[in-house]
Amino acid sequence: MFRKLSLVAAVSVVGMSFAGGLTTEAQAQDKEVVVPEIEWDTALKKFQVDSDKFIGQRFSVACPPHSVRDTMEQVYGTDAYPSDNAICVAALHAGKITTEDGGQVMIQLNPGLEAYTGSSRNGVDSASLPGTQRSMVFVDAESAAAADEARQDYIPRLKWDAKFTGTGLANKDLKGQVMTFNCPAAPGDLRMRRVVGTDSYAFNSIVCLAAVHAGKITTAEGGLVNVQIDPGMKKLVGSIRNGVETKNGGGGHTTISFVDAPLRATAAPLQN
């Protein structure tokens, strides 16, 4: 099982000042970013994301310090691991966390390898294994370029009328996680469909159109957009930005926002 862990240094809602100096409830409200604190035997299947449709996506989790009560599950591979392996044990083997401090890691789900080669690292012996359907790697500044290349062909390409709730990746239980999509250049007959909010948008928003409003892409060129799943807000306020007019509406239990890259934040101290 895993628990939700609130992060300090919540992401502030920015850009919510409007003409005439008006501000909104959303401007004063910070979005509390949440990632799951997992156990040392937790695998991606606990999130229901270990499936082919999530290949190329990234997920952030926090591993606690290792205790005598925690088991060290067998892991396989080196640098790349089968997707059903224990995340924290694999992260320790990969040198991304320590047993003393734990830490937050970002995982990318990739296609499986034909075979995995074991090794001894950081006090963990991984084993060799024949191929699996999916694999996982840990993404940081040093590995980001290789990870980007590996997932390039798997990022979903959206139509300009695609709602986030229609992408198949819109799981309200994944608050704090970021889903990446590819918006093509807009068609010449683009319809300005209804979008609700500014910076924070309704969960069922048209992804590419909302991304234009947020200033992340243009209709002429499109591009990659990173959609963060956020806690809901009582009120979302519309505005006119970048040629797109959005509406007022309720935020519900879950909203979305657009980030420049999947979030890496520092976890709050664990409570005993």
Side-chain angles (χ1 to χ4, degrees), residues 72-253:
M72 282 285 188
E73 299 287 329
Q74 177 69 64
V75 294
Y76 301 87
T78 300
D79 295 326
Y81 306 86
S83 62
D84 61 355
N85 277 198
I87 295 168
C88 295
V89 182
L92 176 63
H93 181 269
K96 305 305 180 184
I97 63 170
T98 65
T99 54
E100 293 81 6
D101 299 324
Q104 186 175 334
V105 294
M106 180 177 288
I107 308 142
Q108 179 173 302
L109 186 66
N110 284 341
L113 303 183
E114 293 183 359
Y116 299 86
T117 302
S119 63
S120 296
R121 283 184 175 178
N122 305 307
V124 178
D125 295 328
S126 70
S128 298
L129 189 74
T132 63
Q133 187 170 353
R134 291 174 295 277
S135 65
M136 63 179 182
V137 297
F138 297 97
V139 183
D140 56 19
E142 294 180 356
S143 63
D148 284 343
E149 183 177 357
R151 73 176 185 152
Q152 183 175 357
D153 294 337
Y154 297 92
I155 300 300
R157 185 177 176 89
L158 299 183
K159 295 182 178 180
W160 275 79
D161 60 353
K163 296 181 178 180
F164 182 57
T165 48
T167 63
L169 307 184
N171 186 335
K172 292 184 177 182
D173 292 331
L174 294 179
K175 292 183 179 67
Q177 304 297 335
V178 176
M179 303 298 163
T180 302
F181 302 95
N182 189 356
C183 293
D189 59 350
L190 176 65
R191 291 176 54 193
M192 290 297 170
R193 299 173 183 270
R194 179 181 173 89
V195 175
V196 173
T198 299
D199 291 329
S200 289
Y201 300 91
F203 199 63
N204 65 347
S205 290
I206 306 294
V207 174
C208 298
L209 202 56
V212 172
H213 183 269
K216 299 304 181 184
I217 59 171
T218 65
T219 55
E221 297 182 359
L224 293 181
V225 296
N226 299 301
V227 179
Q228 182 170 287
I229 302 173
D230 297 322
M233 304 176 73
K234 291 181 180 180
K235 185 179 181 181
L236 298 175
V237 178
S239 64
I240 299 175
R241 281 185 177 176
N242 305 310
V244 178
E245 181 176 3
T246 61
K247 306 299 183 182
N248 300 336
H253 296 293

Side-chain angles (χ1 to χ4, degrees), residues 4-56:
K4 288 182 178 178
L5 175 65
S6 298
L7 301 186
V8 290
V11 177
S12 297
V13 180
V14 297
M16 295 294 287
S17 296
F18 299 97
L22 295 178
T23 58
T24 70
E25 177 183 357
Q27 182 181 12
Q29 180 178 349
D30 285 340
K31 293 178 294 184
E32 184 184 30
V33 179
V34 179
V35 297
E37 177 197 337
I38 63 176
E39 306 295 343
W40 275 75
D41 61 352
T42 301
L44 279 172
K45 63 184 179 182
K46 290 287 185 181
F47 301 87
Q48 299 181 347
V49 297
D50 189 5
S51 64
D52 288 349
K53 68 180 180 180
F54 285 102
I55 288 178

